[in-house]
């Protein structure tokens, strides 16, 4: 590196243009913090003619981000294209192969290729930084990797997807159903035209895979995460949750157990008194538990041009200052391959809602099934409806192994008195 950090920015969309604006507006401050300037030298995107709301005339333009990563006279590449494959992956691989530091906001790429990229970075003696890939502006990677370095992390959980949190918050506030609120979120730009990655939990799982690796110093293991989205959460469940003293949140959860690591993503009932219950709208939050510090809570904006550019800039400042920290907390060779605890061995409490035709014997059948599968009921709620209409029967259970609970639910689904697929939501005690 010369007396300045020369960077190339690949991708000039929401985050890329946000980063250019941040460096243009705050460049002076950043130079004082680093002892030298962070200078954009080259940029790349698909459409050169597009107005991005920032001046780009002073930078070399590349149509091909891979060529830019290889050929431009730079110290670092910032990849802000997105996607686990294609131009983003090739740009990142080319940057590391050419011995450039790499900063990315790309959670999909890190979740799927993080280990190989970290190896490449380590052997090239450069930094791979990805603060912006998890929880946008919240400096959670730095907190886990550096701030909590003195602790053994027992577990963490978080609201990691703003779209899910926005939808669940609005369903609760307005009493409307998922599909209706999703339409509105798409109109307002809070959900993508194809919302699959967000509402089906994949985006949360990408971020959880990264957090798990950083927290426990283990190899990234995206494929073994148990993932369930929010499409089946209904306005009725949200109402019942409140009645029972809970709020429904989409969480990513990672926990160390004697048998390995539990990694799961699904809607959860969380206690109304817990801090995470009050993280609403597009906000993200992460709670991490260290053996010496106890529980720590981090909250902030999880997406958007400003927060994400803020995280990318922090990585650039670290590189410019000469800070060198192992990519996933420990050097690649020291990353542990910790087994994943299968979901059917998870032990927890459950909320189950059945829509039943109110006939004599229904409750006896439900009770017999729970008894057979060794599930102990904690509470039961039933509200009357108009005669002839199916009635919601809501139960909560004591702690039980997931495999038993699932067998009971399968049996409920086969009852001819149960007219809809049963709804099951896990109740999270949130003590890690
Ligand atoms: N948006 C957020 O709030 C947010 C938050 C956290 C993390 N992230 C991550 O940040 C990354 C960027 O997200 P974004 O929202 O900024 O995406 P975006 O608005 O869709 O921007 C993507 C940029 O990549 C460029 N691009 C696409 N294919 C290209 C190619 N083959 N060659 C050169 N440039 C190419 C596009 O060029 P054109 O503009 O010319 O089409 C565009 O400028 C993703 O990994 C995303 O997951 C985003």
């Amino acid at each position: 590196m010369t007396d300045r950090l020369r960077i190339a920015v690949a991708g000039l969309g929401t985050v890329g243009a946000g980063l250019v604006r941040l460096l243009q507006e705050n460049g002076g401050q950043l130079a004082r913090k680093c002892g030298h300037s962070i200078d954009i030298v080259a940029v790349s995107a698909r459409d050169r003619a597009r107005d991005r709301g920032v001046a780009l005339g002073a930078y070399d333009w590349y149509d091909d981000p891979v060529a830019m990563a290889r050929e431009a006279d730079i110290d670092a590449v910032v990849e802000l294209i997105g996607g686990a494959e294609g131009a983003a992956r090739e740009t990142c691989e080319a940057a590391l192969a050419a011995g450039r530091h790499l900063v990315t906001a790309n959670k999909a790429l890190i979740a799927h290729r993080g280990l190989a990229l970290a190896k490449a970075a380590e052997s090239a003696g450069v930094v791979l930084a990805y603060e912006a890939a998890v929880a946008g502006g919240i400096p959670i990677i730095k907190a886990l990797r550096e701030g909590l370095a003195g602790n053994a992390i027992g577990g963490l959980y978080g609201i990691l997807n703003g779209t899910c949190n926005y939808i669940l918050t609005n369903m609760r506030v307005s009493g409307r159903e998922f599909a209706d609120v999703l339409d509105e979120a798409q109109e307002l730009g809070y959900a993508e035209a194809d919302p699959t990655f967000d509402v089906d939990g994949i985006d949360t799982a990408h971020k959880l895979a990264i957090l798990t690796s950083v927290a426990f110093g283990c190899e990234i293991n995206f494929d073994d995460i148990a993932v369930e989205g929010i499409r089946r959460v209904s306005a009725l469940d949200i109402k019942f949750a409140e009645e029972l003293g809970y709020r429904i949140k989409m969480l990513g959860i990672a926990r160390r157990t004697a048998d390995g690591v539990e990694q799961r993503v699904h809607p959860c009932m969380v206690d109304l008194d817990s801090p995470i219950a009050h993280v609403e709208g597009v906000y993200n939050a992460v709670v991490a538990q260290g053996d010496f510090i106890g529980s720590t809570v981090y909250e902030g904006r999880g997406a958007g041009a400003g927060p994400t550019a803020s995280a990318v800039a922090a990585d650039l400042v670290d590189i410019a200052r000469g800070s060198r920290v192992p990519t996933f907390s420990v050097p690649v060779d020291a990353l542990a391959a910790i087994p994943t605890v299968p979901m059917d061995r998870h032990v927890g409490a459950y909320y189950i809602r059945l829509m039943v035709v109110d006939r004599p014997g229904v409750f006896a059948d439900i009770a017999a099934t729970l008894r057979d599968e060794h599930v102990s009921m904690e509470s039961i709620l039933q509200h009357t409806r108009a005669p002839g209409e199916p009635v919601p029967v809501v139960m909560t259970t004591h702690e039980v192994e997931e495999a038993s609970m699932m067998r009971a639910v399968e049996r409920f689904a086969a009852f001819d008195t149960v007219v809809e697929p049963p709804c099951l939501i896990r109740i999270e005690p949130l003590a890690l």
Side-chain angles (χ1 to χ4, degrees), residues 61-104:
W61 177 274
Y62 284 78
D63 288 324
D64 178 1
V66 181
M68 177 176 76
R70 277 199 203 111
E71 294 159 17
D73 193 13
I74 48 171
D75 306 297
V77 172
V78 183
E79 183 278 306
L80 301 170
I81 294 171
E85 297 296 335
R89 178 179 170 188
E90 287 164 30
T91 301
C92 290
E93 289 173 349
L96 295 173
R100 327 299 197 176
H101 301 294
L102 174 64
V103 178
T104 177

Side-chain angles (χ1 to χ4, degrees), residues 10-16 44-48 50 52 61-65 79-83 87 104-108 132-133 136 203 302-305 308:
L12 296 167
T14 306
V15 184
S44 174
R46 280 176 302 206
D47 179 359
R48 189 169 188 173
R50 194 173 137 198
R52 299 164 194 279
W61 177 274
Y62 284 78
D63 288 324
D64 178 1
E79 183 278 306
L80 301 170
I81 294 171
T104 177
N106 191 333
K107 53 253 172 176
D203 177 77
T308 315

Side-chain angles (χ1 to χ4, degrees), residues 177 234-237 239-240 351 353-358 381-394 419-420:
E177 290 295 352
S234 73
L236 198 56
D237 299 313
K239 237 173 79 202
F240 277 123
Y351 159 101
R353 175 177 53 80
L354 305 177
M355 297 303 289
V356 303
V357 184
D358 204 357
L381 273 178
Q382 190 196 354
H383 294 311
T384 48
R385 288 209 160 179
E389 268 188 40
V391 194
V393 172
V394 167
V419 297
E420 279 178 20

Side-chain angles (χ1 to χ4, degrees), residues 212-253:
T212 304
S213 174
V214 175
F216 305 137
C218 59
E219 289 179 2
I220 286 198
N221 185 353
F222 169 79
D223 294 337
D224 283 350
I225 300 180
V227 184
E228 201 181 290
I230 60 166
R231 288 182 200 265
R232 290 186 54 201
V233 175
S234 73
L236 198 56
D237 299 313
I238 290 176
K239 237 173 79 202
F240 277 123
E242 299 280 317
E243 198 173 327
L244 291 162
Y246 297 117
R247 188 152 288 170
I248 300 180
K249 291 290 174 192
M250 175 67 156
L251 296 187
I253 302 167

Side-chain angles (χ1 to χ4, degrees), residues 379-429:
S379 70
I380 185 158
L381 273 178
Q382 190 196 354
H383 294 311
T384 48
R385 288 209 160 179
E389 268 188 40
V391 194
V393 172
V394 167
M395 295 166 279
T396 60
T397 73
H398 290 291
E399 287 205 338
V400 60
E401 197 167 81
E402 175 119 348
S404 297
M405 191 69 252
M406 288 303 176
R407 279 196 302 273
V409 167
E410 234 172 77
R411 287 178 61 183
F412 292 148
F415 288 1
D416 57 5
T417 45
V418 171
V419 297
E420 279 178 20
C423 171
L424 176 143
I425 300 176
R426 296 172 189 86
I427 300 174
E428 280 306 314

